Amino acid sequence: MADTSIEWATKVWNPSTGCDRVSPGCDKCYALTMARRLKAMGSEKYQLDGDPRTSGPGFGLTLHPDTLTTPFGWHQPERIFVNSMSDLFHARVPLEFVQRVFETIAATPQHTYMVLTKRARRLSRVAPHLDWPENLWIGVSVESVDYLDRVDDLRAVEGANCRFISAEPLLGPLDGLDLSLIDWLIVGGESGPGARPLALEWVYDLIARCDRWDCAPFVKQLGAAWAKQYGADSKGSDWSYWPTNLRIREYPLGAEVPR
């Protein structure tokens, strides 16, 4: 289960599982749906239920200290998405546990780790209490202009070697987005049943902003609504269907990217 089809990663590593919805970008969370299935299948890590108002079956926040050594067994360099099924900066993840995750990252410098959070305020508060390994990239999710403050919190994190934004699912234009001190921007439309649409002009605007601030753009997918309109694959991730000037998948300059 460590292998992944996520375009910008080669492995996923989940030292914790479970989460709670905090903003509209969470409304159709793939991890929530997957946790429900894994609970029904009897998966040990997904037996704790979350609050039905914000979470769901099998998606209660759970720590898995037994997984902290997992990356030591991956001998080839990997791009590792940390907590694809949770949020490392969730309020119920103790700082001491976050520090242990960071210690594993520092002890496996052959890998590049990507940590993504919607809890940017807590990230900025605990950042001074963390030792930041060079092989760790830290990012925040921003789905609309209502959450641009997450970028300010990310910018305030000192010691980070690479800061990035995941604008996925992109639910509207990010007018006013300031990419100063941001190294990488991932853009993606929403997938799954009832996916909300993505307008290509929003993507073009973000690419232009990347050029202005020397930030690397990575267009991941155009979403299920766009894909259905053009007869593409289910997520709109097959860029052979895309306009040629959107076929951009870059990584930050100077950052180590295994494979």
Side-chain angles (χ1 to χ4, degrees), residues 1 28-49 56-59 85 191-193:
M1 289 184 64
K28 299 181 183 298
C29 177
Y30 73 89
L32 186 79
T33 301
M34 187 178 296
R36 184 182 301 113
R37 293 174 183 165
L38 290 169
K39 176 183 171 122
M41 292 166 58
S43 177
E44 182 180 350
K45 291 181 179 179
Y46 297 92
Q47 294 307 305
L48 180 65
D49 293 343
F59 211 49
M85 296 293 291
S191 58

Side-chain angles (χ1 to χ4, degrees), residues 190-233:
E190 192 165 58
S191 58
R196 290 162 284 188
L198 173 144
L200 295 190
E201 55 263 31
W202 305 341
V203 183
Y204 285 120
D205 175 71
L206 292 179
I207 292 172
R209 290 175 186 272
C210 285
D211 186 59
R212 192 180 314 153
W213 270 285
D214 197 23
C215 175
F218 190 106
V219 184
K220 178 174 175 280
Q221 62 190 45
L222 300 183
W226 181 91
K228 183 177 181 180
Q229 182 179 357
Y230 290 93
D233 63 296

Side-chain angles (χ1 to χ4, degrees), residues 89 117 119-130 132 138 140 149-150 152-158:
F89 292 95
T117 183
R119 287 145 173 97
R121 188 56 46 87
R122 186 181 186 220
L123 164 65
S124 66
R125 287 201 309 265
V126 305
H129 305 286
L130 298 168
W132 289 85
I138 184 68
V140 296
D149 59 316
R150 293 174 182 167
D152 295 328
D153 287 325
L154 175 63
R155 228 185 321 266
V157 175
E158 297 184 5

Side-chain angles (χ1 to χ4, degrees), residues 16-259:
S16 68
T17 55
C19 201
D20 292 274
R21 291 184 289 255
V22 294
S23 64
C26 305
D27 287 352
K28 299 181 183 298
C29 177
Y30 73 89
L32 186 79
T33 301
M34 187 178 296
R36 184 182 301 113
R37 293 174 183 165
L38 290 169
K39 176 183 171 122
M41 292 166 58
S43 177
E44 182 180 350
K45 291 181 179 179
Y46 297 92
Q47 294 307 305
L48 180 65
D49 293 343
D51 187 327
R53 296 169 298 179
T54 59
S55 185
F59 211 49
L61 196 286
T62 310
L63 305 183
H64 303 288
D66 58 308
T67 67
L68 290 172
T69 58
T70 298
F72 290 95
W74 298 332
H75 301 295
Q76 296 299 317
E78 304 284 357
R79 298 191 302 272
I80 301 171
F81 179 21
V82 181
N83 274 6
S84 63
M85 296 293 291
S86 187
D87 189 326
L88 189 62
F89 292 95
H90 191 288
R92 294 202 303 277
V93 177
L95 174 59
E96 295 78 10
F97 191 79
V98 179
Q99 290 169 331
R100 292 178 67 188
V101 171
F102 275 44
E103 288 168 4
T104 294
I105 292 172
T108 51
Q110 72 272 27
H111 303 314
T112 297
Y113 293 82
M114 291 89 155
V115 175
L116 185 60
T117 183
K118 285 187 175 72
R119 287 145 173 97
R121 188 56 46 87
R122 186 181 186 220
L123 164 65
S124 66
R125 287 201 309 265
V126 305
H129 305 286
L130 298 168
D131 294 324
W132 289 85
E134 291 188 3
N135 59 327
L136 170 60
W137 300 4
I138 184 68
V140 296
S141 296
V142 179
E143 65 264 41
S144 72
V145 292
D146 294 331
Y147 300 97
L148 289 180
D149 59 316
R150 293 174 182 167
V151 182
D152 295 328
D153 287 325
L154 175 63
R155 228 185 321 266
V157 175
E158 297 184 5
N161 184 45
C162 179
R163 300 178 186 85
F164 71 97
I165 295 168
S166 175
E168 183 188 15
L170 184 59
L171 302 179
L174 296 185
D175 297 336
L177 174 63
D178 178 354
L179 291 176
S180 58
L181 299 181
I182 305 301
D183 303 286
W184 194 33
L185 175 64
I186 302 166
V187 184
E190 192 165 58
S191 58
R196 290 162 284 188
L198 173 144
L200 295 190
E201 55 263 31
W202 305 341
V203 183
Y204 285 120
D205 175 71
L206 292 179
I207 292 172
R209 290 175 186 272
C210 285
D211 186 59
R212 192 180 314 153
W213 270 285
D214 197 23
C215 175
F218 190 106
V219 184
K220 178 174 175 280
Q221 62 190 45
L222 300 183
W226 181 91
K228 183 177 181 180
Q229 182 179 357
Y230 290 93
D233 63 296
S234 61
K235 299 189 299 182
S237 60
D238 182 351
W239 74 359
S240 66
Y241 289 88
W242 298 6
T244 55
N245 55 358
L246 287 183
R247 300 176 187 180
I248 304 171
R249 286 178 177 166
E250 298 179 3
Y251 288 94
L253 289 174
E256 282 298 316
V257 184
R259 291 195 186 176

